[in-house]
């Protein structure tokens, strides 16, 4: 029976995508080294979907292990989430980031090639638009990066483009995520960052449950209506659903397509704080702090290509993202 392999399937976005795939009737295999997740998440995925998942504890850099998974199963496509994602950490430890993200992807692709599985959906990021493109970001814009994490995404996109150019049997979709937040409605799975969160939503959440005293708002002097940074927040369940459409696309097509997964709408830091306060009934204390190095003022997606080629668009608004995220956090 054909399976879809989900690398990093126990992680935040991967787990939500697994639930959507199972609900849609796919048989899936999760391969994760649990460097940033726990095996219990897989049980929760099974509970939510009432379906069984085949699980391998595997590091993508381990070619023999990855080949073992392909040898034991009929895998028709891979959705590749496995990677490290903290921007600051990538600046402190670039080798670890390049090794994990780039070498892990190369070993996976070598194994896929060996077993003639040539369909892949890859987790890229809006970070590949760099700092010089105008908003909204359109897929044909030049890519660049400002940190090792971002460069690893730019490099992997390049590798996949070159691979599909050299062998016309490959079907590749590079999904450029904007800012995923929120959680599955069950409240069982969500984002669980270890240590002090880097990203805005989990940071606000920690303030709401009194684990942190206040939010530092990184700059209120940007050229935006309230002076704070604007991002395109997208409900993680909408994002997960986009993977089903991308999977369907690569199964039916060859070549490479880069596609934005965002809402096309921008929300400022203070607007997100207000929406979270409304959803949770909690007061979020904040202080204005200096700008964070490497941040841009505004980032949001052009969403036409996702509609056109994937027939997908985001549905949830910021209020629902906060309500669903709060249900997970407060549980
Ligand atoms: P996450 O850390 O929750 O999930 C990643 C999963 O991959 C984890 O379960 C981790 O244990 C696993 N993993 C890491 N390296 C591995 C390896 N070498 N072998 C096997 N498993 C490995 O992160 P996430 O937020 O779910 O992100 C998933 C993907 O989406 C990542 O590639 C990330 O760079 C990308 N992305 C995330 C965001 C975001 O804001 N969350 C934005 C853009 C892109
Ligand atoms: N912010 C704060 N205080 C915080 C954290 C963030 O004010 O404690 C602000 C930032 O300055 C920015 C906005 O909130 O204006 C969003 O910041 P995040 O760190 O949540 O998200 P970024 O857009 O900076 O980056 C995230 C991921 C990147 C990814 C990018 C696009 O961290 O890896 O989204 O997908 F590339």
């Amino acid at each position: 029976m054909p399976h879809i392999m989900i690398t990093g399937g126990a992680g935040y976005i991967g787990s939500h995508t697994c639930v959507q795939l199972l609900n849609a009737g796919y048989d899936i295999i999760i391969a994760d080294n649990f460097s940033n997740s726990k095996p219990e998440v897989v049980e929760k995925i099974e509970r939510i979907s009432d379906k069984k998942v085949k699980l391998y504890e595997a590091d993508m850099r381990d070619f023999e292990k990855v080949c073992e998974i392909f040898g034991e199963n009929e895998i028709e496509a891979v959705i590749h989430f496995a990677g490290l994602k903290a921007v600051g950490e990538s600046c402190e430890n670039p080798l670890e980031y390049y090794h994990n993200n780039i070498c892990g992807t190369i070993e996976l692709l070598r194994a896929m090639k060996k077993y003639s599985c040539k369909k892949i959906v890859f987790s890229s990021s809006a970070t590949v638009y760099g700092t010089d493109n105008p908003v909204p970001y359109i897929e044909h814009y030049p890519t660049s990066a400002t940190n090792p994490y971002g460069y690893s995404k730019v490099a992997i996109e390049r590798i996949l483009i070159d691979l599909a150019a050299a062998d016309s049997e490959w079907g590749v979709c590079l999904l450029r995520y904007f800012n995923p937040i929120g959680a599955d409605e069950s409240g069982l799975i969500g984002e669980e960052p270890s240590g002090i969160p880097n990203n805005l939503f989990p940071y606000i959440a920690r303030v709401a449950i009194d684990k942190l005293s206040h939010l530092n708002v990184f700059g209120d002097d940007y050229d935006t209506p309230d002076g704070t940074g604007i991002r395109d927040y997208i409900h993680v369940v909408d994002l997960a659903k986009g993977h089903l459409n991308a999977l369907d696309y690569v199964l039916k097509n060859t070549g490479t397509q880069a596609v934005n997964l965002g809402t096309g709408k921008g929300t400022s830091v203070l607007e997100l704080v207000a929406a979270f306060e409304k959803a949770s009934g909690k007061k979020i204390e904040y202080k204005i702090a200096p700008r964070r190095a490497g941040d841009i003022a505004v980032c949001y997606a052009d969403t036409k290509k996702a509609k056109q080629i994937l027939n997908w668009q985001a549905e949830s608004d910021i209020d629902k993202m906060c309500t669903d995220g709060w249900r997970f956090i407060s549980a």
Side-chain angles (χ1 to χ4, degrees):
M1 196 194 303
H3 282 73
I4 308 299
M5 174 166 152
I6 318 296
T7 79
Y12 173 47
I13 306 170
S15 58
H16 287 83
T17 303
C18 288
V19 168
Q20 295 305 319
L21 286 162
L22 291 164
N23 287 347
Y26 286 98
D27 289 306
I28 66 168
I29 295 167
I30 292 179
D32 201 303
N33 68 359
F34 300 114
S35 58
N36 196 37
S37 57
K38 298 192 187 95
E40 293 88 90
V41 171
V42 180
E43 289 161 30
K44 290 178 180 166
I45 292 169
E46 293 185 328
R47 242 172 88 193
I48 298 167
S49 61
D50 200 21
K51 302 255 173 68
K52 280 281 161 209
V53 172
K54 206 161 173 183
L55 171 66
Y56 285 87
E57 181 165 352
D59 191 303
M60 289 306 110
R61 288 166 293 188
D62 184 347
F63 180 70
E64 300 303 326
K65 181 74 190 175
V66 179
C67 284
E68 187 187 310
I69 307 174
F70 279 94
E72 290 175 4
N73 300 281
E74 188 193 331
I75 299 174
E76 63 175 342
V78 174
I79 306 183
H80 180 36
F81 293 100
L84 299 175
K85 63 165 180 177
V87 172
E89 210 174 69
S90 80
C91 299
E92 285 154 26
N93 205 344
L95 273 188
E96 176 63 13
Y97 267 67
Y98 287 127
H99 188 225
N100 193 79
N101 293 4
I102 299 180
C103 298
T105 303
I106 290 175
E107 296 311 313
L108 168 68
L109 293 171
R110 287 179 61 227
M112 289 177 69
K113 189 178 169 200
K114 183 171 170 190
Y115 287 87
S116 291
C117 171
K118 296 182 177 177
K119 303 289 181 178
I120 184 166
V121 175
F122 171 63
S123 298
S124 189
S125 166
T127 198
V128 303
Y129 289 109
T131 51
D132 296 333
N133 288 308
V135 287
Y137 292 150
I138 308 178
E139 288 85 346
H140 64 72
Y141 282 170
T143 59
S144 67
T146 54
N147 55 71
Y149 167 72
Y151 278 113
S152 78
K153 293 295 180 192
V154 172
I156 296 165
E157 285 203 355
R158 185 75 248 166
I159 290 166
L160 286 164
I161 290 165
D162 291 343
L163 185 61
D167 176 351
S168 62
E169 288 176 3
W170 282 87
V172 176
C173 192
L174 312 170
L175 293 180
R176 295 179 179 160
Y177 310 153
F178 282 70
N179 293 57
I181 62 171
D184 185 76
E185 275 186 353
S186 65
L188 289 174
I189 54 173
E191 189 173 18
E192 290 181 89
S194 55
I196 295 177
N198 300 298
N199 297 117
L200 180 60
F201 192 84
Y203 202 105
I204 292 176
R206 294 285 171 94
V207 175
I209 57 170
D210 296 326
K211 289 259 164 56
L212 292 167
S213 63
H214 67 277
L215 169 72
N216 291 304
V217 174
F218 297 143
D220 68 347
D221 55 354
Y222 284 106
D223 186 14
T224 61
D226 67 17
T228 67
I230 288 180
R231 294 291 181 275
D232 184 342
Y233 298 97
I234 173 167
H235 198 301
V236 68
V237 173
D238 279 338
L239 190 78
K241 288 178 179 167
H243 291 72
L244 267 66
N245 299 47
L247 176 63
D248 189 51
Y249 183 88
V250 295
L251 288 172
K252 291 180 181 149
N253 295 276
T254 56
T256 308
Q257 293 286 353
V259 184
N260 291 336
L261 293 187
T263 66
K265 291 188 197 77
T267 301
S268 74
V269 174
L270 294 181
E271 284 170 341
L272 189 65
V273 167
F276 194 96
E277 287 182 331
K278 194 170 106 189
S280 64
K282 300 273 178 184
K283 178 94 190 86
I284 305 299
E285 299 295 341
Y286 68 84
K287 290 181 185 160
I288 303 300
R291 290 182 180 192
R292 182 171 64 179
D295 272 358
I296 50 175
V298 183
C299 166
Y300 58 94
D302 182 284
T303 59
K304 287 194 242 1
K305 190 171 178 186
K307 266 181 231 156
Q308 218 170 56
I309 77 159
L310 300 184
N311 190 26
W312 170 91
Q313 71 185 81
E315 282 164 10
S316 297
D317 61 15
I318 281 288
D319 293 333
K320 177 152 175 64
M321 297 179 211
C322 290
T323 303
D324 291 345
W326 174 241
R327 189 181 303 110
F328 171 72
I329 296 146
S330 55

